[in-house]
Amino acid sequence: IYFFYFYEAKYHFYDDIVYYSVTRDKFLDYSIFYYFSNIGQVKSTIGTNHIGFWTLVYLSLKIFGLYYYSIILSNIIISILASYVLYLSLEKMNFQDSFCKLFFIFSVLHWDMIAWTSFISSKEPLMFLAITILFHNLIVINQEKKISIANIFFIILSLLIISELRTYIFIFCILIVSGYLMFLIELPKKRFVRALIFVLPITVLPTYIYLNFSSIYLTISSAFTLLYPNIANLNEIPIYFLKTLLSPFPLNIQENYNFLFLPSILHFLTMILLPIGVFLSFNNKHKAFSCYIILFLSTVTFYSFFPDLAGPRQRFQYSMILMYWQFLPLYKLFSIKGIYK
């Protein structure tokens, strides 16, 4: 409905148009089989090794038609699926059925979810989904005290998707997965499993860097050139930490960000719930959820060093933990039941 009657061309960033137009013009003649069997050629044509979102754009246009809103439709489906995976994670952690179902509805209808999936095509919803699948499998392993073939498959798949989206998030996630499996989960043959897990980051990361060295070098060098002149001083880190959490300010939104005006107001109004939600989550039953908290702290701290990255677009990829902290006190306030079964 929006794209037929209310479409605003100003709600675009340069890169989302590039993703759409280049994919439409260069890759739509490829069959799906040819595309995936010639990934090297695709990467060479695009000029990057990060083809995760390019692939989503290709599949969206191939399946839903040669329209910009085909990507939007894919992002909406992805966001609903991500919310469902979160629902399954909470259910696995023995939260009340009513809590899980209401949180699913809350997350699907959340203002950030609607804003970043319904107006503009971006890689953040795909990152959101990959992270929820990754951490869901960690939570399943933690709750069931065993690792299944399905867990290993989905952990590898989600890490592969993340590696094709953002390198630094991939590095954070590899370290989180290793630490989570080593220190939070009680598994049989503990010493052997811990030794195996310890080898994970010191083998996977060097191998990943070796295979993608040229792309990583170009990414880091260009990012360094762009961001280093504006890198924050240590005494400015707390300010940019808050800016990352609070931006955009409703009265200071740029024209192409106007679709965030109402979400920014709701974000500010519900930020008062955040410290209450954090306080309520400090108990042993939330230990399995620590992977989300560690990723949240890692990414927000990382972005705080680079003011140009301290914005709402990057925040969306870890917003699942913010949604949870916002919802937790609301459920406690209005529900007669407790949170857990």
Side-chain angles (χ1 to χ4, degrees), residues 66-82:
L66 309 182
Y67 314 104
Y68 180 84
Y69 57 77
S70 296
I71 314 166
I72 303 296
L73 178 58
S74 293
N75 276 345
I76 292 172
I77 294 170
I78 284 171
S79 67
I80 294 172
L81 183 57

Side-chain angles (χ1 to χ4, degrees), residues 51-113:
I51 62 162
F53 188 59
W54 289 96
T55 301
L56 176 65
V57 173
Y58 166 79
L59 291 174
S60 300
L61 300 184
K62 204 75 173 174
I63 295 169
F64 299 119
L66 309 182
Y67 314 104
Y68 180 84
Y69 57 77
S70 296
I71 314 166
I72 303 296
L73 178 58
S74 293
N75 276 345
I76 292 172
I77 294 170
I78 284 171
S79 67
I80 294 172
L81 183 57
S83 291
Y84 180 69
V85 175
L86 271 172
Y87 162 82
L88 294 177
S89 296
L90 294 172
E91 194 175 51
K92 182 60 71 172
M93 292 170 62
N94 294 317
F95 281 75
Q96 289 281 358
D97 290 338
S98 58
F99 181 93
C100 300
K101 291 173 181 176
L102 288 171
F103 178 74
F104 172 74
I105 295 170
F106 178 78
S107 62
V108 167
L109 299 178
H110 193 276
W111 42 93
D112 278 343
M113 189 77 86

Side-chain angles (χ1 to χ4, degrees), residues 112 116 242-254 257-268 310-313 315:
D112 278 343
W116 286 107
L242 290 174
K243 181 188 174 185
T244 303
L245 289 178
L246 296 175
S247 64
F249 301 106
L251 299 179
N252 194 31
I253 293 179
Q254 299 173 8
Y257 277 90
N258 277 343
F259 66 95
L260 292 178
F261 179 70
L262 181 57
S264 69
I265 295 173
L266 294 172
H267 182 69
F268 262 83
R313 186 174 182 180
R315 187 181 67 227

Side-chain angles (χ1 to χ4, degrees), residues 79-294:
S79 67
I80 294 172
L81 183 57
S83 291
Y84 180 69
V85 175
L86 271 172
Y87 162 82
L88 294 177
S89 296
L90 294 172
E91 194 175 51
K92 182 60 71 172
M93 292 170 62
N94 294 317
F95 281 75
Q96 289 281 358
D97 290 338
S98 58
F99 181 93
C100 300
K101 291 173 181 176
L102 288 171
F103 178 74
F104 172 74
I105 295 170
F106 178 78
S107 62
V108 167
L109 299 178
H110 193 276
W111 42 93
D112 278 343
M113 189 77 86
I114 292 174
W116 286 107
T117 60
S118 302
F119 295 95
I120 188 170
S121 73
S122 71
K123 66 180 70 173
E124 274 64 35
L126 183 58
M127 179 70 81
F128 189 111
L129 175 63
I131 290 171
T132 55
I133 292 174
L134 174 64
F135 290 166
H136 171 70
N137 281 275
L138 293 183
I139 290 169
V140 169
I141 294 170
N142 181 72
Q143 297 299 107
E144 296 183 352
K145 311 302 180 190
K146 64 179 181 180
I147 302 178
S148 68
I149 297 297
N151 295 142
I152 295 172
F153 171 78
F154 283 113
I155 286 173
I156 293 173
L157 176 63
S158 53
L159 284 172
L160 179 62
I161 294 171
I162 292 168
S163 74
E164 293 291 345
L165 293 172
R166 287 198 172 103
T167 298
Y168 55 89
I169 299 294
F170 172 72
I171 294 172
F172 290 157
C173 286
I174 282 285
L175 297 175
I176 289 170
V177 169
S178 302
Y180 192 97
L181 293 175
M182 284 183 67
F183 301 114
L184 288 183
I185 299 177
E186 296 180 7
L187 295 168
K189 299 180 181 179
K190 186 184 296 184
R191 290 184 180 178
F192 171 75
V193 173
R194 283 191 175 180
L196 195 62
I197 293 166
F198 179 75
V199 172
L200 180 67
I202 62 178
T203 55
V204 172
L205 288 179
T207 303
Y208 173 75
I209 292 171
Y210 173 76
L211 293 175
N212 299 276
F213 180 78
S214 59
S215 175
I216 292 172
Y217 175 78
L218 288 173
T219 300
I220 292 176
S221 60
S222 59
F224 183 83
T225 303
L226 180 66
L227 299 174
Y228 181 75
N230 297 320
I231 194 169
N233 297 319
L234 286 177
N235 63 328
E236 296 176 316
I237 299 303
I239 297 172
Y240 288 115
F241 191 96
L242 290 174
K243 181 188 174 185
T244 303
L245 289 178
L246 296 175
S247 64
F249 301 106
L251 299 179
N252 194 31
I253 293 179
Q254 299 173 8
E255 186 177 9
N256 61 331
Y257 277 90
N258 277 343
F259 66 95
L260 292 178
F261 179 70
L262 181 57
S264 69
I265 295 173
L266 294 172
H267 182 69
F268 262 83
L269 292 175
T270 54
M271 281 303 289
I272 193 172
L273 299 172
L274 212 61
I276 304 172
V278 172
F279 175 77
L280 291 173
S281 64
F282 272 103
N283 57 62
N284 285 332
K285 292 189 176 182
H286 275 81
K287 190 181 292 185
F289 222 59
S290 59
C291 46
Y292 282 104
I293 298 171
I294 295 169

